[in-house]
Amino acid sequence: MSKRKGRILSNRCCIFLSFILLATALCAEELWQYEDVESKKSQLMQLRVGADFTKSFEHNLELALSEEVRMDMLPFHTNTVFDRSFTTLSLSYEPIKYLKLDVGYMLKIIGCQDTTQSRWNSHWADVNEYIRHRAFVSVVAQYKYLQWKFAFRERLLCDMRTDSVNPIETNNYDLILRHRLFIDYTVRHKPVKIYTWLELSHTLNAPFLSRKHQNDVLYRMDDSGQWHKNIGYQFIDQIRFCVGTKYRLNKRNTLNFFYRMDWGYSRKAKVQGDYTTLKELEKNHNSTNAEVTLKETTTIQHAIGIAYQFGW
């Protein structure tokens, strides 16, 4: 493929992915529709430490193994607390220099935010309470110009829970689509690379019970009197920004220093009463114990981190 055709293909991919990003923002407008709901806001400061190992093969294949540990820290917490860790295995393939495909699996270990002794012990006693699984597939359009590199990534995630949940309130698996714009600059004659990226993600199958009347009771009943989950109201759940510097120690070893700010939003229906099916909720919808209220949480996380990278 000629350079000119490759550039045309890369430009078309970037334009197409940009339209997807714009459509995503428009479809998330339902996020602002509900005003009189129970809201919670918080800020966190985190320290993140990681290590990445990559192995290149013939035919433009690359295998990567990475580990990251996140810890909550001052000034928003009284002490440093383990938040979670991610272990990721991925395989990438570059059919042409303007396009990269990626597939992978992530094992997540979730820490216990409740520091009471009984809750802490019960959390770590049951493996289903702290283990989560994630599978993902990505498509990256990329272009290099002199010391600059531009990339746009589309990633589809599937998060799978192992704990017991109320199916009215929470999915056993969540589908999320993420869009990331990435720019880096390699300093001429220096082992230094400066980079930044901006990422937006939104839900694809978030469960939601829509409003029936004015008292923040959220449910949906069709003309035949049947209750349903409404999965048509999706929303932006994260906006993430990162800036960092990579310092190459030698051909195989690199240190990565970065700062990240993550804005996160979540909302879920909270069922009052021991109802796990919509039929049970339908039979008791006139009872005060059968109300379903909307709870939303907004979180801002500031993170500083360091990662060691080894490639061969």
Side-chain angles (χ1 to χ4, degrees):
M1 179 181 292
S2 67
K3 290 184 177 181
R4 184 173 180 274
K5 289 183 177 179
R7 289 177 181 177
I8 293 174
L9 177 61
S10 176
N11 292 337
R12 289 179 177 176
C13 289
C14 290
I15 292 173
F16 174 71
L17 295 177
S18 298
F19 275 115
I20 294 178
L21 182 60
L22 177 60
T24 298
L26 293 176
C27 77
E29 62 181 356
E30 291 294 336
L31 178 126
W32 312 109
Q33 182 175 349
Y34 300 95
E35 299 176 355
D36 300 325
V37 295
E38 184 176 336
S39 300
K40 179 182 178 180
K41 296 182 180 180
S42 62
Q43 287 200 59
L44 300 174
M45 184 71 183
Q46 287 193 333
L47 173 65
R48 301 181 181 181
V49 181
D52 303 323
F53 304 92
T54 59
K55 171 63 176 176
S56 298
F57 298 94
E58 296 180 352
H59 309 295
N60 297 323
L61 289 172
E62 184 176 87
L63 184 67
L65 175 66
S66 66
E67 178 72 23
E68 183 181 74
V69 177
R70 300 181 178 183
M71 293 167 286
D72 295 332
M73 55 184 291
L74 295 172
F76 303 102
H77 293 268
T78 56
N79 59 339
T80 300
V81 179
F82 171 77
D83 178 51
R84 64 194 60 201
S85 68
F86 300 136
T87 304
T88 307
L89 181 66
S90 63
L91 179 67
S92 63
Y93 171 59
E94 193 173 289
I96 57 175
K97 66 178 182 178
Y98 302 103
L99 186 66
K100 187 176 182 180
L101 308 176
D102 189 24
V103 62
Y105 164 78
M106 177 185 291
L107 174 67
K108 300 193 289 185
I109 299 178
I110 309 299
C112 180
Q113 300 303 314
D114 190 341
T115 56
T116 58
Q117 190 65 36
S118 59
R119 182 67 185 93
W120 180 274
N121 292 338
S122 64
H123 176 84
W124 293 110
D126 185 359
V127 67
N128 292 325
E129 287 291 324
Y130 60 84
I131 291 294
R132 302 287 186 272
H133 304 281
R134 169 179 291 176
F136 61 87
V137 60
S138 309
V139 179
V140 182
Q142 56 190 8
Y143 176 71
K144 292 183 179 180
Y145 178 73
L146 299 178
Q147 282 77 46
W148 294 90
K149 180 180 178 180
F150 306 89
F152 191 89
R153 188 185 74 185
E154 289 287 305
R155 171 166 286 184
L156 177 64
L157 307 175
C158 180
D159 283 337
M160 292 156 280
R161 304 180 67 99
T162 56
D163 57 337
S164 177
V165 297
N166 188 332
I168 300 179
E169 300 175 343
T170 308
N171 286 326
N172 287 318
Y173 69 93
D174 291 315
L175 295 177
I176 299 172
L177 188 61
R178 289 182 174 175
H179 324 268
R180 176 181 293 188
L181 178 63
F182 183 92
I183 302 174
D184 73 40
Y185 175 78
T186 302
V187 180
R188 189 185 297 270
H189 308 306
K190 299 290 183 180
V192 176
K193 180 181 291 185
I194 303 170
Y195 68 90
T196 184
W197 54 259
L198 179 66
E199 183 177 84
L200 180 148
S201 69
H202 67 94
T203 62
L204 295 178
N205 69 328
F208 190 66
L209 301 174
S210 58
R211 189 188 303 267
K212 176 67 175 178
H213 52 73
Q214 298 179 355
N215 297 325
D216 273 344
V217 178
L218 306 174
Y219 47 82
R220 176 174 173 264
M221 189 179 295
D222 62 18
D223 296 336
S224 62
Q226 299 296 317
W227 287 49
H228 299 280
K229 279 186 179 180
N230 189 339
I231 62 172
Y233 297 94
Q234 304 306 315
F235 55 89
I236 296 173
D237 68 327
Q238 279 190 333
I239 298 177
R240 308 195 297 178
F241 169 77
C242 179
V243 60
T245 300
K246 294 183 179 181
Y247 182 81
R248 189 176 69 253
L249 301 175
N250 51 47
K251 183 178 180 181
R252 300 188 184 278
N253 299 275
T254 303
L255 291 178
N256 180 17
F257 306 90
F258 61 88
Y259 163 77
R260 274 182 54 176
M261 184 179 71
D262 298 351
W263 175 89
Y265 172 85
S266 66
R267 70 182 184 195
K268 63 182 296 185
K270 183 65 177 177
V271 178
Q272 298 181 15
D274 298 328
Y275 305 105
T276 58
T277 66
L278 295 176
K279 287 186 177 180
E280 293 177 358
L281 204 58
E282 177 184 351
K283 292 179 180 179
N284 299 275
H285 73 275
N286 289 324
S287 170
T288 57
N289 293 327
E291 290 187 351
V292 184
T293 58
L294 179 67
K295 296 181 181 293
E296 62 177 13
T297 303
T298 302
T299 304
I300 296 178
Q301 287 186 343
H302 304 273
I304 54 174
I306 180 173
Y308 166 71
Q309 298 176 334
F310 178 81
W312 77 99

